[in-house]
Amino acid sequence: MKTHRILLHTLTVIALTACQSGGATPEERPALLCNASQLALQELQEVTARISGFSDVLLSEKDWMQDSDVVLERRHQRNPQGDLIQGRDIEMPHRVRLLKRANQCLLIDLNTGRSESLHQVQCHVK
């Protein structure tokens, strides 16, 4: 009976620890972009490309203004005539989230967990 109680206690501790480890930490909260200056947009594009592994990222001025998440997909390949090349794209889209930690804004790729702080971007908690 004592062994069952110890086992149950151990499993409870493991389960509670696992529940707390997913997603953003409590001090990191989803955020929205405050400024869409040219400098901020340039930094967002560079950091997004770095953390997602894409060679180039095309963002809109409105990205992260109304939602904390942006979904990225690779461009569809085209032949020299401009027609789409037939084939399947099996890569999952990347979800990139803007977060605020204390006075710092950061981006995190939710697919890979890679994140990076932003220095030119101002954001506020959603």
Side-chain angles (χ1 to χ4, degrees):
M1 189 65 147
K2 186 175 182 178
T3 307
H4 292 296
R5 201 174 302 152
I6 292 171
L7 181 60
L8 181 61
H9 177 71
T10 304
L11 290 174
T12 303
V13 170
I14 292 170
L16 289 173
T17 304
C19 289
Q20 293 175 351
S21 65
T25 61
E27 59 273 355
E28 293 175 351
R29 307 221 6 233
L32 298 175
L33 190 61
C34 291
N35 64 335
S37 70
Q38 217 33 50
L39 203 54
L41 291 173
Q42 181 179 350
E43 182 182 29
L44 283 166
Q45 283 187 263
E46 291 170 1
V47 171
T48 302
R50 250 192 320 273
I51 66 172
S52 67
F54 289 4
S55 60
D56 187 32
V57 174
L58 180 63
L59 297 173
S60 164
E61 293 177 354
K62 297 177 184 175
D63 288 334
W64 291 294
M65 296 293 272
Q66 298 174 345
D67 194 3
S68 298
D69 292 358
V70 168
V71 178
L72 304 173
E73 291 183 303
R74 292 204 188 270
R75 289 186 185 155
H76 297 288
Q77 299 295 317
R78 297 183 180 271
N79 65 17
Q81 291 76 30
D83 300 322
L84 284 176
I85 295 175
Q86 296 297 317
R88 291 189 294 170
D89 183 8
I90 58 173
E91 182 181 19
M92 293 294 293
H94 283 255
R95 285 184 38 227
V96 180
R97 180 171 291 161
L98 180 64
L99 297 171
K100 181 148 186 159
R101 179 192 310 145
N103 292 327
Q104 184 72 44
C105 301
L106 63 131
L107 283 181
I108 183 169
D109 184 320
L110 298 176
N111 295 44
T112 64
R114 290 170 48 188
S115 65
E116 194 171 319
S117 295
L118 301 165
H119 305 286
Q120 303 298 326
V121 173
Q122 295 176 357
C123 64
H124 60 91
V125 175
K126 184 175 175 182

mmCIF file of all heavy atoms in Angstrom, residues 23-60:
data_model
loop_
_atom_site.group_PDB
_atom_site.id
_atom_site.type_symbol
_atom_site.label_atom_id
_atom_site.label_comp_id
_atom_site.label_asym_id
_atom_site.label_seq_id
_atom_site.Cartn_x
_atom_site.Cartn_y
_atom_site.Cartn_z
ATOM 1 N N GLY A 23 4.601 25.771 -23.697
ATOM 2 C CA GLY A 23 4.292 27.120 -24.132
ATOM 3 C C GLY A 23 5.160 28.175 -23.490
ATOM 4 O O GLY A 23 6.242 27.917 -23.004
ATOM 5 N N ALA A 24 4.653 29.402 -23.493
ATOM 6 C CA ALA A 24 5.399 30.535 -22.939
ATOM 7 C C ALA A 24 5.434 30.446 -21.419
ATOM 8 O O ALA A 24 4.525 29.919 -20.794
ATOM 9 C CB ALA A 24 4.736 31.834 -23.365
ATOM 10 N N THR A 25 6.491 30.961 -20.851
ATOM 11 C CA THR A 25 6.591 30.995 -19.398
ATOM 12 C C THR A 25 5.629 32.051 -18.874
ATOM 13 O O THR A 25 5.199 32.935 -19.617
ATOM 14 C CB THR A 25 8.036 31.321 -18.968
ATOM 15 O OG1 THR A 25 8.383 32.598 -19.466
ATOM 16 C CG2 THR A 25 9.016 30.280 -19.468
ATOM 17 N N PRO A 26 5.280 31.983 -17.575
ATOM 18 C CA PRO A 26 4.288 32.933 -17.048
ATOM 19 C C PRO A 26 4.671 34.394 -17.263
ATOM 20 O O PRO A 26 3.806 35.237 -17.438
ATOM 21 C CB PRO A 26 4.237 32.595 -15.554
ATOM 22 C CG PRO A 26 4.693 31.194 -15.463
ATOM 23 C CD PRO A 26 5.678 30.998 -16.585
ATOM 24 N N GLU A 27 5.969 34.721 -17.253
ATOM 25 C CA GLU A 27 6.356 36.116 -17.454
ATOM 26 C C GLU A 27 6.388 36.501 -18.931
ATOM 27 O O GLU A 27 6.567 37.657 -19.262
ATOM 28 C CB GLU A 27 7.695 36.423 -16.788
ATOM 29 C CG GLU A 27 8.856 35.597 -17.267
ATOM 30 C CD GLU A 27 9.032 34.268 -16.520
ATOM 31 O OE1 GLU A 27 8.326 34.007 -15.557
ATOM 32 O OE2 GLU A 27 9.878 33.490 -16.953
ATOM 33 N N GLU A 28 6.235 35.536 -19.830
ATOM 34 C CA GLU A 28 6.149 35.811 -21.268
ATOM 35 C C GLU A 28 4.684 35.751 -21.666
ATOM 36 O O GLU A 28 4.039 34.730 -21.515
ATOM 37 C CB GLU A 28 6.945 34.784 -22.073
ATOM 38 C CG GLU A 28 8.430 34.864 -21.853
ATOM 39 C CD GLU A 28 9.177 33.755 -22.567
ATOM 40 O OE1 GLU A 28 8.545 32.830 -23.093
ATOM 41 O OE2 GLU A 28 10.408 33.809 -22.575
ATOM 42 N N ARG A 29 4.163 36.876 -22.173
ATOM 43 C CA ARG A 29 2.749 36.933 -22.526
ATOM 44 C C ARG A 29 2.600 37.312 -23.986
ATOM 45 O O ARG A 29 3.383 38.099 -24.515
ATOM 46 C CB ARG A 29 2.068 37.977 -21.642
ATOM 47 C CG ARG A 29 2.362 37.705 -20.167
ATOM 48 C CD ARG A 29 1.291 37.850 -19.167
ATOM 49 N NE ARG A 29 -0.032 38.116 -19.578
ATOM 50 C CZ ARG A 29 -0.753 39.122 -19.110
ATOM 51 N NH1 ARG A 29 -0.247 39.967 -18.251
ATOM 52 N NH2 ARG A 29 -1.994 39.275 -19.507
ATOM 53 N N PRO A 30 1.587 36.756 -24.687
ATOM 54 C CA PRO A 30 1.343 37.129 -26.079
ATOM 55 C C PRO A 30 1.192 38.641 -26.199
ATOM 56 O O PRO A 30 0.601 39.293 -25.338
ATOM 57 C CB PRO A 30 0.033 36.419 -26.424
ATOM 58 C CG PRO A 30 -0.011 35.251 -25.483
ATOM 59 C CD PRO A 30 0.642 35.753 -24.211
ATOM 60 N N ALA A 31 1.761 39.198 -27.278
ATOM 61 C CA ALA A 31 1.786 40.647 -27.426
ATOM 62 C C ALA A 31 1.383 41.061 -28.838
ATOM 63 O O ALA A 31 1.353 40.244 -29.751
ATOM 64 C CB ALA A 31 3.186 41.170 -27.104
ATOM 65 N N LEU A 32 1.099 42.340 -28.967
ATOM 66 C CA LEU A 32 0.791 42.949 -30.256
ATOM 67 C C LEU A 32 1.812 44.036 -30.532
ATOM 68 O O LEU A 32 2.343 44.660 -29.620
ATOM 69 C CB LEU A 32 -0.612 43.556 -30.247
ATOM 70 C CG LEU A 32 -1.766 42.588 -30.015
ATOM 71 C CD1 LEU A 32 -3.080 43.343 -29.920
ATOM 72 C CD2 LEU A 32 -1.823 41.534 -31.096
ATOM 73 N N LEU A 33 2.055 44.290 -31.789
ATOM 74 C CA LEU A 33 3.011 45.286 -32.231
ATOM 75 C C LEU A 33 2.463 46.689 -31.993
ATOM 76 O O LEU A 33 1.316 46.981 -32.312
ATOM 77 C CB LEU A 33 3.282 45.062 -33.729
ATOM 78 C CG LEU A 33 4.402 45.808 -34.396
ATOM 79 C CD1 LEU A 33 5.730 45.444 -33.755
ATOM 80 C CD2 LEU A 33 4.431 45.462 -35.867
ATOM 81 N N CYS A 34 3.282 47.566 -31.411
ATOM 82 C CA CYS A 34 2.878 48.969 -31.185
ATOM 83 C C CYS A 34 3.257 49.857 -32.364
ATOM 84 O O CYS A 34 2.496 50.725 -32.754
ATOM 85 C CB CYS A 34 3.550 49.526 -29.934
ATOM 86 S SG CYS A 34 2.991 48.834 -28.393
ATOM 87 N N ASN A 35 4.469 49.644 -32.869
ATOM 88 C CA ASN A 35 4.950 50.511 -33.941
ATOM 89 C C ASN A 35 5.268 49.682 -35.176
ATOM 90 O O ASN A 35 5.747 48.571 -35.080
ATOM 91 C CB ASN A 35 6.195 51.281 -33.507
ATOM 92 C CG ASN A 35 7.365 50.344 -33.228
ATOM 93 O OD1 ASN A 35 7.189 49.187 -32.909
ATOM 94 N ND2 ASN A 35 8.570 50.862 -33.348
ATOM 95 N N ALA A 36 4.956 50.226 -36.314
ATOM 96 C CA ALA A 36 5.257 49.539 -37.570
ATOM 97 C C ALA A 36 6.263 50.373 -38.366
ATOM 98 O O ALA A 36 6.139 50.548 -39.564
ATOM 99 C CB ALA A 36 3.981 49.317 -38.372
ATOM 100 N N SER A 37 7.267 50.885 -37.656
ATOM 101 C CA SER A 37 8.282 51.688 -38.334
ATOM 102 C C SER A 37 9.092 50.809 -39.282
ATOM 103 O O SER A 37 9.115 49.589 -39.156
ATOM 104 C CB SER A 37 9.210 52.347 -37.307
ATOM 105 O OG SER A 37 10.030 51.363 -36.691
ATOM 106 N N GLN A 38 9.773 51.436 -40.209
ATOM 107 C CA GLN A 38 10.594 50.713 -41.181
ATOM 108 C C GLN A 38 11.675 49.910 -40.478
ATOM 109 O O GLN A 38 11.944 48.766 -40.837
ATOM 110 C CB GLN A 38 11.214 51.723 -42.156
ATOM 111 C CG GLN A 38 11.340 51.334 -43.588
ATOM 112 C CD GLN A 38 10.254 50.437 -44.154
ATOM 113 O OE1 GLN A 38 9.046 50.657 -44.026
ATOM 114 N NE2 GLN A 38 10.685 49.407 -44.806
ATOM 115 N N LEU A 39 12.275 50.483 -39.450
ATOM 116 C CA LEU A 39 13.328 49.806 -38.691
ATOM 117 C C LEU A 39 12.772 48.576 -37.959
ATOM 118 O O LEU A 39 13.406 47.510 -37.951
ATOM 119 C CB LEU A 39 13.943 50.790 -37.695
ATOM 120 C CG LEU A 39 15.347 50.515 -37.199
ATOM 121 C CD1 LEU A 39 16.325 50.328 -38.349
ATOM 122 C CD2 LEU A 39 15.805 51.641 -36.295
ATOM 123 N N ALA A 40 11.589 48.724 -37.367
ATOM 124 C CA ALA A 40 10.957 47.610 -36.655
ATOM 125 C C ALA A 40 10.588 46.491 -37.623
ATOM 126 O O ALA A 40 10.826 45.314 -37.349
ATOM 127 C CB ALA A 40 9.718 48.095 -35.905
ATOM 128 N N LEU A 41 10.015 46.844 -38.775
ATOM 129 C CA LEU A 41 9.640 45.834 -39.769
ATOM 130 C C LEU A 41 10.858 45.099 -40.312
ATOM 131 O O LEU A 41 10.824 43.878 -40.525
ATOM 132 C CB LEU A 41 8.842 46.470 -40.908
ATOM 133 C CG LEU A 41 7.442 46.948 -40.541
ATOM 134 C CD1 LEU A 41 6.820 47.711 -41.708
ATOM 135 C CD2 LEU A 41 6.569 45.790 -40.130
ATOM 136 N N GLN A 42 11.944 45.830 -40.518
ATOM 137 C CA GLN A 42 13.173 45.198 -41.009
ATOM 138 C C GLN A 42 13.691 44.194 -39.973
ATOM 139 O O GLN A 42 14.070 43.078 -40.325
ATOM 140 C CB GLN A 42 14.237 46.251 -41.305
ATOM 141 C CG GLN A 42 15.528 45.676 -41.835
ATOM 142 C CD GLN A 42 16.549 46.766 -42.129
ATOM 143 O OE1 GLN A 42 16.247 47.958 -42.106
ATOM 144 N NE2 GLN A 42 17.776 46.366 -42.391
ATOM 145 N N GLU A 43 13.698 44.592 -38.699
ATOM 146 C CA GLU A 43 14.157 43.666 -37.658
ATOM 147 C C GLU A 43 13.234 42.448 -37.564
ATOM 148 O O GLU A 43 13.705 41.316 -37.434
ATOM 149 C CB GLU A 43 14.228 44.367 -36.307
ATOM 150 C CG GLU A 43 14.752 43.444 -35.212
ATOM 151 C CD GLU A 43 14.794 44.078 -33.839
ATOM 152 O OE1 GLU A 43 13.977 44.979 -33.551
ATOM 153 O OE2 GLU A 43 15.650 43.659 -33.049
ATOM 154 N N LEU A 44 11.919 42.663 -37.643
ATOM 155 C CA LEU A 44 10.982 41.548 -37.589
ATOM 156 C C LEU A 44 11.232 40.557 -38.723
ATOM 157 O O LEU A 44 11.211 39.343 -38.519
ATOM 158 C CB LEU A 44 9.540 42.055 -37.634
ATOM 159 C CG LEU A 44 9.002 42.647 -36.343
ATOM 160 C CD1 LEU A 44 7.719 43.408 -36.591
ATOM 161 C CD2 LEU A 44 8.789 41.549 -35.304
ATOM 162 N N GLN A 45 11.474 41.072 -39.945
ATOM 163 C CA GLN A 45 11.738 40.191 -41.079
ATOM 164 C C GLN A 45 13.027 39.403 -40.873
ATOM 165 O O GLN A 45 13.069 38.199 -41.122
ATOM 166 C CB GLN A 45 11.802 40.998 -42.378
ATOM 167 C CG GLN A 45 10.422 41.382 -42.859
ATOM 168 C CD GLN A 45 10.429 42.025 -44.216
ATOM 169 O OE1 GLN A 45 10.413 43.238 -44.303
ATOM 170 N NE2 GLN A 45 10.435 41.224 -45.250
ATOM 171 N N GLU A 46 14.083 40.056 -40.422
ATOM 172 C CA GLU A 46 15.366 39.382 -40.225
ATOM 173 C C GLU A 46 15.287 38.319 -39.134
ATOM 174 O O GLU A 46 15.760 37.202 -39.317
ATOM 175 C CB GLU A 46 16.453 40.410 -39.885
ATOM 176 C CG GLU A 46 16.804 41.316 -41.040
ATOM 177 C CD GLU A 46 17.694 42.494 -40.637
ATOM 178 O OE1 GLU A 46 18.065 42.596 -39.443
ATOM 179 O OE2 GLU A 46 18.004 43.316 -41.519
ATOM 180 N N VAL A 47 14.681 38.663 -38.006
ATOM 181 C CA VAL A 47 14.596 37.719 -36.895
ATOM 182 C C VAL A 47 13.657 36.559 -37.251
ATOM 183 O O VAL A 47 13.952 35.402 -36.954
ATOM 184 C CB VAL A 47 14.147 38.431 -35.598
ATOM 185 C CG1 VAL A 47 13.839 37.431 -34.490
ATOM 186 C CG2 VAL A 47 15.203 39.422 -35.153
ATOM 187 N N THR A 48 12.544 36.861 -37.917
ATOM 188 C CA THR A 48 11.624 35.807 -38.334
ATOM 189 C C THR A 48 12.319 34.821 -39.268
ATOM 190 O O THR A 48 12.169 33.608 -39.125
ATOM 191 C CB THR A 48 10.379 36.404 -39.018
ATOM 192 O OG1 THR A 48 9.732 37.299 -38.109
ATOM 193 C CG2 THR A 48 9.399 35.331 -39.432
ATOM 194 N N ALA A 49 13.092 35.324 -40.215
ATOM 195 C CA ALA A 49 13.829 34.448 -41.130
ATOM 196 C C ALA A 49 14.833 33.595 -40.364
ATOM 197 O O ALA A 49 14.954 32.393 -40.607
ATOM 198 C CB ALA A 49 14.538 35.271 -42.202
ATOM 199 N N ARG A 50 15.524 34.200 -39.412
ATOM 200 C CA ARG A 50 16.536 33.457 -38.642
ATOM 201 C C ARG A 50 15.933 32.327 -37.818
ATOM 202 O O ARG A 50 16.413 31.209 -37.837
ATOM 203 C CB ARG A 50 17.296 34.405 -37.714
ATOM 204 C CG ARG A 50 18.714 34.631 -38.131
ATOM 205 C CD ARG A 50 19.564 35.336 -37.093
ATOM 206 N NE ARG A 50 18.980 36.415 -36.333
ATOM 207 C CZ ARG A 50 18.954 37.689 -36.712
ATOM 208 N NH1 ARG A 50 19.465 38.066 -37.877
ATOM 209 N NH2 ARG A 50 18.428 38.617 -35.935
ATOM 210 N N ILE A 51 14.864 32.623 -37.073
ATOM 211 C CA ILE A 51 14.320 31.606 -36.175
ATOM 212 C C ILE A 51 13.518 30.544 -36.922
ATOM 213 O O ILE A 51 13.406 29.423 -36.444
ATOM 214 C CB ILE A 51 13.485 32.212 -35.019
ATOM 215 C CG1 ILE A 51 12.220 32.881 -35.526
ATOM 216 C CG2 ILE A 51 14.325 33.142 -34.176
ATOM 217 C CD1 ILE A 51 11.273 33.317 -34.422
ATOM 218 N N SER A 52 12.977 30.884 -38.100
ATOM 219 C CA SER A 52 12.197 29.911 -38.865
ATOM 220 C C SER A 52 13.070 29.074 -39.793
ATOM 221 O O SER A 52 12.651 28.020 -40.255
ATOM 222 C CB SER A 52 11.111 30.608 -39.681
ATOM 223 O OG SER A 52 11.696 31.404 -40.693
ATOM 224 N N GLY A 53 14.276 29.580 -40.095
ATOM 225 C CA GLY A 53 15.154 28.862 -41.013
ATOM 226 C C GLY A 53 14.882 29.187 -42.466
ATOM 227 O O GLY A 53 15.503 28.607 -43.357
ATOM 228 N N PHE A 54 13.976 30.115 -42.756
ATOM 229 C CA PHE A 54 13.702 30.523 -44.130
ATOM 230 C C PHE A 54 14.804 31.480 -44.573
ATOM 231 O O PHE A 54 15.317 32.258 -43.774
ATOM 232 C CB PHE A 54 12.348 31.227 -44.241
ATOM 233 C CG PHE A 54 11.152 30.322 -44.064
ATOM 234 C CD1 PHE A 54 11.272 28.980 -43.739
ATOM 235 C CD2 PHE A 54 9.878 30.824 -44.219
ATOM 236 C CE1 PHE A 54 10.173 28.165 -43.582
ATOM 237 C CE2 PHE A 54 8.758 30.019 -44.058
ATOM 238 C CZ PHE A 54 8.903 28.692 -43.745
ATOM 239 N N SER A 55 15.144 31.455 -45.849
ATOM 240 C CA SER A 55 16.192 32.351 -46.338
ATOM 241 C C SER A 55 15.692 33.786 -46.459
ATOM 242 O O SER A 55 16.459 34.732 -46.319
ATOM 243 C CB SER A 55 16.723 31.859 -47.687
ATOM 244 O OG SER A 55 15.674 31.823 -48.633
ATOM 245 N N ASP A 56 14.402 33.945 -46.707
ATOM 246 C CA ASP A 56 13.822 35.277 -46.881
ATOM 247 C C ASP A 56 12.374 35.219 -46.420
ATOM 248 O O ASP A 56 11.674 34.233 -46.656
ATOM 249 C CB ASP A 56 13.903 35.692 -48.352
ATOM 250 C CG ASP A 56 13.470 37.124 -48.568
ATOM 251 O OD1 ASP A 56 13.673 37.950 -47.665
ATOM 252 O OD2 ASP A 56 12.928 37.417 -49.649
ATOM 253 N N VAL A 57 11.920 36.277 -45.778
ATOM 254 C CA VAL A 57 10.551 36.335 -45.274
ATOM 255 C C VAL A 57 9.931 37.640 -45.743
ATOM 256 O O VAL A 57 10.553 38.697 -45.654
ATOM 257 C CB VAL A 57 10.527 36.255 -43.731
ATOM 258 C CG1 VAL A 57 9.130 36.454 -43.204
ATOM 259 C CG2 VAL A 57 11.087 34.933 -43.252
ATOM 260 N N LEU A 58 8.711 37.559 -46.240
ATOM 261 C CA LEU A 58 7.971 38.742 -46.667
ATOM 262 C C LEU A 58 6.827 38.956 -45.684
ATOM 263 O O LEU A 58 5.941 38.114 -45.565
ATOM 264 C CB LEU A 58 7.430 38.552 -48.089
ATOM 265 C CG LEU A 58 6.632 39.710 -48.669
ATOM 266 C CD1 LEU A 58 7.524 40.942 -48.803
ATOM 267 C CD2 LEU A 58 6.061 39.322 -50.015
ATOM 268 N N LEU A 59 6.873 40.063 -44.954
ATOM 269 C CA LEU A 59 5.852 40.383 -43.959
ATOM 270 C C LEU A 59 5.069 41.617 -44.372
ATOM 271 O O LEU A 59 5.562 42.456 -45.113
ATOM 272 C CB LEU A 59 6.501 40.633 -42.589
ATOM 273 C CG LEU A 59 7.245 39.467 -41.951
ATOM 274 C CD1 LEU A 59 7.970 39.927 -40.690
ATOM 275 C CD2 LEU A 59 6.298 38.338 -41.629
ATOM 276 N N SER A 60 3.882 41.740 -43.831
ATOM 277 C CA SER A 60 3.035 42.902 -44.057
ATOM 278 C C SER A 60 3.184 43.861 -42.883
ATOM 279 O O SER A 60 3.543 43.462 -41.774
ATOM 280 C CB SER A 60 1.576 42.444 -44.168
ATOM 281 O OG SER A 60 0.697 43.531 -44.026
#
